[in-house]
Amino acid sequence: MDVVIGVQQGLGPSYENAFTGKVTCSVLSNTPDGKGLVVTGCVEGVWVGFRHDSRSMRHVLHLKMVTQCAMLEDFGIFLVLADKFLFAYHIEALVPSSPSSSHSSQTPQKLSGNKDVYFFSVGTLHGRTLVIYMKKKGLDSIFHAVKPVVERINERAKAPQGLMGSRFGSRQAKSDWFRAYREFFLPSEVKIVILCAKGFEIMDLM
């Protein structure tokens, strides 16, 4: 679906300084002080604004080909999959609660190493929050499960390394906000057995 994100002025909509593009994902969240946020992913980046206030929408991440996003509110982390890279940002880096916030200039961290992450999902297992993302190795699907590390996430921001360091640049350090939990894979030839009212059915997933 193509939408226009911009500011309304006067009696009718104004498309000056507006962005028109395909919305690929969205998520609702809340600021630490309880304000409702809406985060929208587009092919040209990520927009953030307050709910019911279209004039507050801001283009906060200039990323290409955003396909998924998620909030880990308990950890203050925003996840986004862009151009097959999986990034983690402090929510405070996108919507600072104050100019003196320790995370307002935090560089993102890359969970996936090299690119080619096809999708990710967030869930809980035995009370533990996990992020699972899928990559390909040959014809096999490799699933990586990682868990947030609260102590690392809450550390104060470190200065970027080198002149090329950038808040939203490409020289992000390897993630230490997440720790490997488990890895598993599905071979290229996978069949599942489904129990039905009339017996069993075998389905080929290829």
Side-chain angles (χ1 to χ4, degrees):
M1 177 179 67
D2 289 343
V3 299
V4 176
I5 301 176
V7 178
Q8 288 192 351
Q9 298 176 342
L11 297 177
S14 171
Y15 299 117
E16 184 179 358
N17 299 323
F19 170 78
T20 304
K22 182 179 181 181
V23 173
T24 55
C25 56
S26 64
V27 64
L28 299 178
S29 183
N30 293 287
T31 62
D33 56 358
K35 294 180 180 179
L37 291 177
V38 57
V39 183
T40 303
C42 305
V43 293
E44 295 293 335
V46 175
W47 294 70
V48 177
F50 296 112
R51 298 180 208 175
H52 313 299
D53 183 3
S54 62
R55 291 178 293 182
S56 67
M57 296 297 291
R58 297 291 183 271
H59 196 180
V60 296
L61 293 180
H62 296 266
L63 299 171
K64 296 292 185 181
M65 301 305 297
V66 173
T67 53
Q68 273 188 272
C69 61
M71 283 285 189
L72 302 181
E73 288 192 24
D74 292 342
F75 303 92
I77 291 295
F78 173 69
L79 299 176
V80 58
L81 181 60
D83 195 22
K84 295 187 178 180
F85 285 102
L86 181 55
F87 297 105
Y89 292 84
H90 267 291
I91 298 175
E92 282 282 323
L94 308 183
V95 189
S97 58
S98 68
S100 60
S101 171
S102 62
H103 299 301
S104 60
S105 61
Q106 185 90 42
T107 57
Q109 293 200 2
K110 192 188 301 179
L111 276 70
S112 55
N114 296 328
K115 63 182 300 185
D116 293 341
V117 173
Y118 286 80
F119 67 87
F120 75 93
S121 184
V122 178
T124 58
L125 177 65
H126 303 308
R128 178 185 288 112
T129 298
L130 295 177
V131 178
I132 299 178
Y133 59 90
M134 192 274 280
K135 303 177 74 172
K136 282 285 191 180
K137 185 176 182 180
L139 297 177
D140 296 337
S141 299
I142 310 297
F143 294 85
H144 300 266
V146 296
K147 57 183 180 180
V149 182
V150 177
E151 297 79 10
R152 294 286 190 175
I153 291 172
N154 291 334
E155 285 182 352
R156 292 186 63 85
K158 297 179 181 179
Q161 299 297 317
L163 296 177
M164 296 299 291
S166 170
R167 179 180 175 186
F168 306 122
S170 59
R171 295 189 62 180
Q172 298 86 354
K174 183 179 179 181
S175 175
D176 57 3
W177 295 347
F178 293 83
R179 183 177 299 148
Y181 177 74
R182 192 161 296 172
E183 181 179 307
F184 57 95
F185 78 99
L186 293 177
S188 57
E189 295 184 3
V190 179
K191 298 180 184 293
I192 60 173
V193 179
I194 302 174
L195 176 61
C196 305
K198 296 183 179 180
F200 294 93
E201 290 189 10
I202 298 177
M203 178 180 294
D204 192 339
L205 296 184
M206 292 298 293

